[in-house]
PDB file of all heavy atoms in Angstrom:
ATOM      1  N   PRO A 109      -5.687   8.790  -4.510  1.00  0.00           N
ATOM      2  CA  PRO A 109      -7.072   8.333  -4.295  1.00  0.00           C
ATOM      3  C   PRO A 109      -7.544   8.490  -2.857  1.00  0.00           C
ATOM      4  O   PRO A 109      -8.726   8.761  -2.613  1.00  0.00           O
ATOM      5  CB  PRO A 109      -7.011   6.849  -4.692  1.00  0.00           C
ATOM      6  CG  PRO A 109      -5.896   6.766  -5.654  1.00  0.00           C
ATOM      7  CD  PRO A 109      -4.879   7.750  -5.172  1.00  0.00           C
ATOM      8  N   LEU A 112      -9.049  11.936  -2.150  1.00  0.00           N
ATOM      9  CA  LEU A 112     -10.216  12.328  -2.923  1.00  0.00           C
ATOM     10  C   LEU A 112     -11.482  12.160  -2.097  1.00  0.00           C
ATOM     11  O   LEU A 112     -11.582  11.271  -1.256  1.00  0.00           O
ATOM     12  CB  LEU A 112     -10.322  11.487  -4.196  1.00  0.00           C
ATOM     13  CG  LEU A 112      -9.216  11.649  -5.240  1.00  0.00           C
ATOM     14  CD1 LEU A 112      -9.434  10.668  -6.386  1.00  0.00           C
ATOM     15  CD2 LEU A 112      -9.162  13.079  -5.764  1.00  0.00           C
ATOM     16  N   ILE A 114     -15.045  10.931  -1.096  1.00  0.00           N
ATOM     17  CA  ILE A 114     -15.696   9.657  -1.378  1.00  0.00           C
ATOM     18  C   ILE A 114     -16.846   9.805  -2.384  1.00  0.00           C
ATOM     19  O   ILE A 114     -16.962   8.995  -3.306  1.00  0.00           O
ATOM     20  CB  ILE A 114     -16.195   8.999  -0.081  1.00  0.00           C
ATOM     21  CG1 ILE A 114     -15.011   8.667   0.818  1.00  0.00           C
ATOM     22  CG2 ILE A 114     -16.981   7.723  -0.377  1.00  0.00           C
ATOM     23  CD1 ILE A 114     -15.404   8.113   2.166  1.00  0.00           C
ATOM     24  N   PRO A 115     -17.724  10.821  -2.254  1.00  0.00           N
ATOM     25  CA  PRO A 115     -18.793  10.958  -3.260  1.00  0.00           C
ATOM     26  C   PRO A 115     -18.257  11.109  -4.678  1.00  0.00           C
ATOM     27  O   PRO A 115     -18.848  10.582  -5.629  1.00  0.00           O
ATOM     28  CB  PRO A 115     -19.538  12.218  -2.803  1.00  0.00           C
ATOM     29  CG  PRO A 115     -19.290  12.289  -1.334  1.00  0.00           C
ATOM     30  CD  PRO A 115     -17.891  11.792  -1.156  1.00  0.00           C
ATOM     31  N   VAL A 116     -17.138  11.816  -4.814  1.00  0.00           N
ATOM     32  CA  VAL A 116     -16.541  11.992  -6.151  1.00  0.00           C
ATOM     33  C   VAL A 116     -16.082  10.645  -6.695  1.00  0.00           C
ATOM     34  O   VAL A 116     -16.364  10.292  -7.848  1.00  0.00           O
ATOM     35  CB  VAL A 116     -15.356  12.976  -6.083  1.00  0.00           C
ATOM     36  CG1 VAL A 116     -14.636  13.032  -7.427  1.00  0.00           C
ATOM     37  CG2 VAL A 116     -15.841  14.360  -5.684  1.00  0.00           C
ATOM     38  N   VAL A 117     -15.382   9.880  -5.844  1.00  0.00           N
ATOM     39  CA  VAL A 117     -14.914   8.555  -6.257  1.00  0.00           C
ATOM     40  C   VAL A 117     -16.093   7.659  -6.609  1.00  0.00           C
ATOM     41  O   VAL A 117     -16.093   6.957  -7.629  1.00  0.00           O
ATOM     42  CB  VAL A 117     -14.082   7.900  -5.131  1.00  0.00           C
ATOM     43  CG1 VAL A 117     -13.739   6.455  -5.483  1.00  0.00           C
ATOM     44  CG2 VAL A 117     -12.812   8.695  -4.884  1.00  0.00           C
ATOM     45  N   GLY A 118     -17.145   7.687  -5.773  1.00  0.00           N
ATOM     46  CA  GLY A 118     -18.315   6.848  -6.017  1.00  0.00           C
ATOM     47  C   GLY A 118     -19.002   7.183  -7.327  1.00  0.00           C
ATOM     48  O   GLY A 118     -19.377   6.285  -8.093  1.00  0.00           O
ATOM     49  N   ILE A 119     -19.186   8.469  -7.599  1.00  0.00           N
ATOM     50  CA  ILE A 119     -19.866   8.884  -8.833  1.00  0.00           C
ATOM     51  C   ILE A 119     -19.043   8.501 -10.061  1.00  0.00           C
ATOM     52  O   ILE A 119     -19.574   7.989 -11.052  1.00  0.00           O
ATOM     53  CB  ILE A 119     -20.133  10.399  -8.804  1.00  0.00           C
ATOM     54  CG1 ILE A 119     -21.205  10.716  -7.756  1.00  0.00           C
ATOM     55  CG2 ILE A 119     -20.586  10.891 -10.181  1.00  0.00           C
ATOM     56  CD1 ILE A 119     -21.412  12.192  -7.521  1.00  0.00           C
ATOM     57  N   VAL A 120     -17.737   8.749  -9.996  1.00  0.00           N
ATOM     58  CA  VAL A 120     -16.864   8.418 -11.136  1.00  0.00           C
ATOM     59  C   VAL A 120     -16.916   6.924 -11.435  1.00  0.00           C
ATOM     60  O   VAL A 120     -17.101   6.509 -12.591  1.00  0.00           O
ATOM     61  CB  VAL A 120     -15.419   8.865 -10.860  1.00  0.00           C
ATOM     62  CG1 VAL A 120     -14.470   8.293 -11.915  1.00  0.00           C
ATOM     63  CG2 VAL A 120     -15.324  10.381 -10.838  1.00  0.00           C
ATOM     64  N   PHE A 121     -16.781   6.090 -10.406  1.00  0.00           N
ATOM     65  CA  PHE A 121     -16.804   4.646 -10.634  1.00  0.00           C
ATOM     66  C   PHE A 121     -18.196   4.147 -11.007  1.00  0.00           C
ATOM     67  O   PHE A 121     -18.317   3.111 -11.668  1.00  0.00           O
ATOM     68  CB  PHE A 121     -16.278   3.906  -9.402  1.00  0.00           C
ATOM     69  CG  PHE A 121     -14.786   3.756  -9.394  1.00  0.00           C
ATOM     70  CD1 PHE A 121     -13.990   4.674  -8.721  1.00  0.00           C
ATOM     71  CD2 PHE A 121     -14.172   2.730 -10.089  1.00  0.00           C
ATOM     72  CE1 PHE A 121     -12.610   4.555  -8.718  1.00  0.00           C
ATOM     73  CE2 PHE A 121     -12.795   2.591 -10.094  1.00  0.00           C
ATOM     74  CZ  PHE A 121     -12.006   3.519  -9.409  1.00  0.00           C
ATOM     75  N   SER A 122     -19.229   4.860 -10.588  1.00  0.00           N
ATOM     76  CA  SER A 122     -20.583   4.484 -11.021  1.00  0.00           C
ATOM     77  C   SER A 122     -20.709   4.598 -12.535  1.00  0.00           C
ATOM     78  O   SER A 122     -21.289   3.728 -13.194  1.00  0.00           O
ATOM     79  CB  SER A 122     -21.621   5.380 -10.334  1.00  0.00           C
ATOM     80  OG  SER A 122     -21.657   5.150  -8.947  1.00  0.00           O
ATOM     81  N   TYR A 123     -20.147   5.673 -13.085  1.00  0.00           N
ATOM     82  CA  TYR A 123     -20.168   5.833 -14.545  1.00  0.00           C
ATOM     83  C   TYR A 123     -19.246   4.826 -15.226  1.00  0.00           C
ATOM     84  O   TYR A 123     -19.565   4.298 -16.298  1.00  0.00           O
ATOM     85  CB  TYR A 123     -19.761   7.263 -14.918  1.00  0.00           C
ATOM     86  CG  TYR A 123     -20.859   8.281 -14.731  1.00  0.00           C
ATOM     87  CD1 TYR A 123     -20.828   9.184 -13.675  1.00  0.00           C
ATOM     88  CD2 TYR A 123     -21.945   8.330 -15.603  1.00  0.00           C
ATOM     89  CE1 TYR A 123     -21.847  10.113 -13.494  1.00  0.00           C
ATOM     90  CE2 TYR A 123     -22.960   9.250 -15.429  1.00  0.00           C
ATOM     91  CZ  TYR A 123     -22.904  10.137 -14.375  1.00  0.00           C
ATOM     92  OH  TYR A 123     -23.914  11.042 -14.200  1.00  0.00           O
ATOM     93  N   LEU A 124     -18.119   4.543 -14.609  1.00  0.00           N
ATOM     94  CA  LEU A 124     -17.173   3.595 -15.202  1.00  0.00           C
ATOM     95  C   LEU A 124     -17.738   2.183 -15.239  1.00  0.00           C
ATOM     96  O   LEU A 124     -17.513   1.430 -16.196  1.00  0.00           O
ATOM     97  CB  LEU A 124     -15.860   3.601 -14.421  1.00  0.00           C
ATOM     98  CG  LEU A 124     -14.979   4.846 -14.522  1.00  0.00           C
ATOM     99  CD1 LEU A 124     -13.796   4.728 -13.574  1.00  0.00           C
ATOM    100  CD2 LEU A 124     -14.500   5.056 -15.958  1.00  0.00           C
ATOM    101  N   LEU A 125     -18.487   1.800 -14.187  1.00  0.00           N
ATOM    102  CA  LEU A 125     -18.917   0.417 -14.026  1.00  0.00           C
ATOM    103  C   LEU A 125     -20.340   0.138 -14.508  1.00  0.00           C
ATOM    104  O   LEU A 125     -20.821  -0.988 -14.351  1.00  0.00           O
ATOM    105  CB  LEU A 125     -18.796   0.016 -12.544  1.00  0.00           C
ATOM    106  CG  LEU A 125     -17.373   0.036 -11.961  1.00  0.00           C
ATOM    107  CD1 LEU A 125     -17.402  -0.200 -10.457  1.00  0.00           C
ATOM    108  CD2 LEU A 125     -16.496  -1.015 -12.637  1.00  0.00           C
ATOM    109  N   GLN A 126     -21.013   1.135 -15.055  1.00  0.00           N
ATOM    110  CA  GLN A 126     -22.346   0.889 -15.613  1.00  0.00           C
ATOM    111  C   GLN A 126     -22.272  -0.115 -16.761  1.00  0.00           C
ATOM    112  O   GLN A 126     -21.219  -0.307 -17.365  1.00  0.00           O
ATOM    113  CB  GLN A 126     -22.962   2.198 -16.117  1.00  0.00           C
ATOM    114  CG  GLN A 126     -23.416   3.130 -15.009  1.00  0.00           C
ATOM    115  CD  GLN A 126     -23.970   4.430 -15.561  1.00  0.00           C
ATOM    116  OE1 GLN A 126     -23.950   4.662 -16.767  1.00  0.00           O
ATOM    117  NE2 GLN A 126     -24.450   5.286 -14.671  1.00  0.00           N
ATOM    118  N   ILE A 131     -15.831   1.236 -18.937  1.00  0.00           N
ATOM    119  CA  ILE A 131     -15.083  -0.028 -18.908  1.00  0.00           C
ATOM    120  C   ILE A 131     -15.667  -1.035 -19.892  1.00  0.00           C
ATOM    121  O   ILE A 131     -14.931  -1.656 -20.681  1.00  0.00           O
ATOM    122  CB  ILE A 131     -15.069  -0.605 -17.477  1.00  0.00           C
ATOM    123  CG1 ILE A 131     -14.229   0.289 -16.563  1.00  0.00           C
ATOM    124  CG2 ILE A 131     -14.517  -2.039 -17.473  1.00  0.00           C
ATOM    125  CD1 ILE A 131     -14.190  -0.151 -15.117  1.00  0.00           C
ATOM    126  N   TRP A 147     -21.601  -4.568 -13.753  1.00  0.00           N
ATOM    127  CA  TRP A 147     -20.805  -4.650 -12.533  1.00  0.00           C
ATOM    128  C   TRP A 147     -21.571  -4.221 -11.293  1.00  0.00           C
ATOM    129  O   TRP A 147     -21.366  -4.784 -10.208  1.00  0.00           O
ATOM    130  CB  TRP A 147     -19.536  -3.804 -12.676  1.00  0.00           C
ATOM    131  CG  TRP A 147     -18.712  -4.188 -13.856  1.00  0.00           C
ATOM    132  CD1 TRP A 147     -18.640  -3.546 -15.063  1.00  0.00           C
ATOM    133  CD2 TRP A 147     -17.849  -5.331 -13.970  1.00  0.00           C
ATOM    134  NE1 TRP A 147     -17.791  -4.205 -15.913  1.00  0.00           N
ATOM    135  CE2 TRP A 147     -17.288  -5.309 -15.270  1.00  0.00           C
ATOM    136  CE3 TRP A 147     -17.497  -6.368 -13.104  1.00  0.00           C
ATOM    137  CZ2 TRP A 147     -16.400  -6.268 -15.721  1.00  0.00           C
ATOM    138  CZ3 TRP A 147     -16.607  -7.327 -13.544  1.00  0.00           C
ATOM    139  CH2 TRP A 147     -16.067  -7.270 -14.837  1.00  0.00           C
ATOM    140  N   LEU A 148     -22.444  -3.235 -11.403  1.00  0.00           N
ATOM    141  CA  LEU A 148     -23.188  -2.741 -10.246  1.00  0.00           C
ATOM    142  C   LEU A 148     -24.640  -3.198 -10.237  1.00  0.00           C
ATOM    143  O   LEU A 148     -25.331  -3.016  -9.230  1.00  0.00           O
ATOM    144  CB  LEU A 148     -23.137  -1.202 -10.200  1.00  0.00           C
ATOM    145  CG  LEU A 148     -21.744  -0.587 -10.024  1.00  0.00           C
ATOM    146  CD1 LEU A 148     -21.825   0.934 -10.039  1.00  0.00           C
ATOM    147  CD2 LEU A 148     -21.083  -1.069  -8.730  1.00  0.00           C
ATOM    148  N   SER A 157     -17.567  -5.453  -6.626  1.00  0.00           N
ATOM    149  CA  SER A 157     -17.182  -4.234  -7.343  1.00  0.00           C
ATOM    150  C   SER A 157     -17.009  -3.067  -6.373  1.00  0.00           C
ATOM    151  O   SER A 157     -16.029  -2.314  -6.441  1.00  0.00           O
ATOM    152  CB  SER A 157     -18.225  -3.885  -8.405  1.00  0.00           C
ATOM    153  OG  SER A 157     -18.339  -4.917  -9.366  1.00  0.00           O
ATOM    154  N   ILE A 160     -13.852  -3.540  -4.240  1.00  0.00           N
ATOM    155  CA  ILE A 160     -12.617  -3.214  -4.968  1.00  0.00           C
ATOM    156  C   ILE A 160     -12.410  -1.703  -5.018  1.00  0.00           C
ATOM    157  O   ILE A 160     -11.283  -1.214  -4.859  1.00  0.00           O
ATOM    158  CB  ILE A 160     -12.661  -3.818  -6.386  1.00  0.00           C
ATOM    159  CG1 ILE A 160     -12.524  -5.342  -6.302  1.00  0.00           C
ATOM    160  CG2 ILE A 160     -11.545  -3.236  -7.256  1.00  0.00           C
ATOM    161  CD1 ILE A 160     -12.739  -6.053  -7.617  1.00  0.00           C
ATOM    162  N   VAL A 161     -13.486  -0.952  -5.223  1.00  0.00           N
ATOM    163  CA  VAL A 161     -13.381   0.516  -5.235  1.00  0.00           C
ATOM    164  C   VAL A 161     -12.923   1.023  -3.872  1.00  0.00           C
ATOM    165  O   VAL A 161     -12.066   1.906  -3.774  1.00  0.00           O
ATOM    166  CB  VAL A 161     -14.735   1.150  -5.625  1.00  0.00           C
ATOM    167  CG1 VAL A 161     -14.671   2.675  -5.479  1.00  0.00           C
ATOM    168  CG2 VAL A 161     -15.118   0.780  -7.049  1.00  0.00           C
ATOM    169  N   ILE A 162     -13.486   0.456  -2.805  1.00  0.00           N
ATOM    170  CA  ILE A 162     -13.088   0.853  -1.449  1.00  0.00           C
ATOM    171  C   ILE A 162     -11.604   0.567  -1.222  1.00  0.00           C
ATOM    172  O   ILE A 162     -10.868   1.403  -0.684  1.00  0.00           O
ATOM    173  CB  ILE A 162     -13.954   0.127  -0.397  1.00  0.00           C
ATOM    174  CG1 ILE A 162     -15.402   0.611  -0.490  1.00  0.00           C
ATOM    175  CG2 ILE A 162     -13.408   0.363   1.008  1.00  0.00           C
ATOM    176  CD1 ILE A 162     -16.370  -0.180   0.386  1.00  0.00           C
ATOM    177  N   TRP A 164      -9.277   0.270  -3.514  1.00  0.00           N
ATOM    178  CA  TRP A 164      -8.496   1.171  -4.368  1.00  0.00           C
ATOM    179  C   TRP A 164      -8.290   2.516  -3.689  1.00  0.00           C
ATOM    180  O   TRP A 164      -7.201   3.095  -3.746  1.00  0.00           O
ATOM    181  CB  TRP A 164      -9.214   1.356  -5.707  1.00  0.00           C
ATOM    182  CG  TRP A 164      -8.568   2.364  -6.610  1.00  0.00           C
ATOM    183  CD1 TRP A 164      -7.495   2.167  -7.437  1.00  0.00           C
ATOM    184  CD2 TRP A 164      -8.955   3.733  -6.774  1.00  0.00           C
ATOM    185  NE1 TRP A 164      -7.193   3.331  -8.107  1.00  0.00           N
ATOM    186  CE2 TRP A 164      -8.075   4.304  -7.726  1.00  0.00           C
ATOM    187  CE3 TRP A 164      -9.958   4.537  -6.227  1.00  0.00           C
ATOM    188  CZ2 TRP A 164      -8.170   5.634  -8.115  1.00  0.00           C
ATOM    189  CZ3 TRP A 164     -10.060   5.867  -6.616  1.00  0.00           C
ATOM    190  CH2 TRP A 164      -9.165   6.397  -7.546  1.00  0.00           C
ATOM    191  N   LYS A 165      -9.323   3.011  -3.029  1.00  0.00           N
ATOM    192  CA  LYS A 165      -9.199   4.307  -2.356  1.00  0.00           C
ATOM    193  C   LYS A 165      -8.370   4.218  -1.073  1.00  0.00           C
ATOM    194  O   LYS A 165      -7.631   5.138  -0.731  1.00  0.00           O
ATOM    195  CB  LYS A 165     -10.583   4.873  -2.026  1.00  0.00           C
ATOM    196  CG  LYS A 165     -10.526   6.302  -1.504  1.00  0.00           C
ATOM    197  CD  LYS A 165     -11.876   6.829  -1.175  1.00  0.00           C
ATOM    198  CE  LYS A 165     -11.790   8.313  -0.818  1.00  0.00           C
ATOM    199  NZ  LYS A 165     -10.812   8.625   0.237  1.00  0.00           N
ATOM    200  N   PHE A 230     -19.932   5.331  -0.008  1.00  0.00           N
ATOM    201  CA  PHE A 230     -19.762   4.472  -1.185  1.00  0.00           C
ATOM    202  C   PHE A 230     -21.086   3.807  -1.562  1.00  0.00           C
ATOM    203  O   PHE A 230     -21.482   3.802  -2.733  1.00  0.00           O
ATOM    204  CB  PHE A 230     -18.718   3.387  -0.902  1.00  0.00           C
ATOM    205  CG  PHE A 230     -17.312   3.881  -0.836  1.00  0.00           C
ATOM    206  CD1 PHE A 230     -16.671   4.029   0.369  1.00  0.00           C
ATOM    207  CD2 PHE A 230     -16.611   4.190  -1.996  1.00  0.00           C
ATOM    208  CE1 PHE A 230     -15.365   4.473   0.446  1.00  0.00           C
ATOM    209  CE2 PHE A 230     -15.304   4.643  -1.943  1.00  0.00           C
ATOM    210  CZ  PHE A 230     -14.679   4.791  -0.717  1.00  0.00           C
ATOM    211  N   VAL A 233     -23.853   6.388  -2.824  1.00  0.00           N
ATOM    212  CA  VAL A 233     -23.622   6.963  -4.153  1.00  0.00           C
ATOM    213  C   VAL A 233     -23.658   5.902  -5.245  1.00  0.00           C
ATOM    214  O   VAL A 233     -24.229   6.122  -6.321  1.00  0.00           O
ATOM    215  CB  VAL A 233     -22.269   7.709  -4.175  1.00  0.00           C
ATOM    216  CG1 VAL A 233     -21.926   8.155  -5.592  1.00  0.00           C
ATOM    217  CG2 VAL A 233     -22.317   8.908  -3.236  1.00  0.00           C
ATOM    218  N   MET A 234     -23.082   4.727  -4.986  1.00  0.00           N
ATOM    219  CA  MET A 234     -22.885   3.753  -6.057  1.00  0.00           C
ATOM    220  C   MET A 234     -24.061   2.805  -6.262  1.00  0.00           C
ATOM    221  O   MET A 234     -24.416   2.496  -7.401  1.00  0.00           O
ATOM    222  CB  MET A 234     -21.611   2.944  -5.791  1.00  0.00           C
ATOM    223  CG  MET A 234     -20.343   3.772  -5.806  1.00  0.00           C
ATOM    224  SD  MET A 234     -18.849   2.782  -5.537  1.00  0.00           S
ATOM    225  CE  MET A 234     -18.812   1.808  -7.043  1.00  0.00           C
TER     226      MET A 234
END
Side-chain angles (χ1 to χ4, degrees):
L112 295 176
I114 296 175
V116 173
V117 173
I119 290 172
V120 169
F121 274 95
S122 294
Y123 282 106
L124 290 174
L125 297 173
Q126 287 178 356
I131 292 178
W147 304 102
L148 297 178
S157 299
I160 289 172
V161 173
I162 293 172
W164 174 82
K165 188 181 187 307
F230 288 104
V233 173
M234 296 182 68

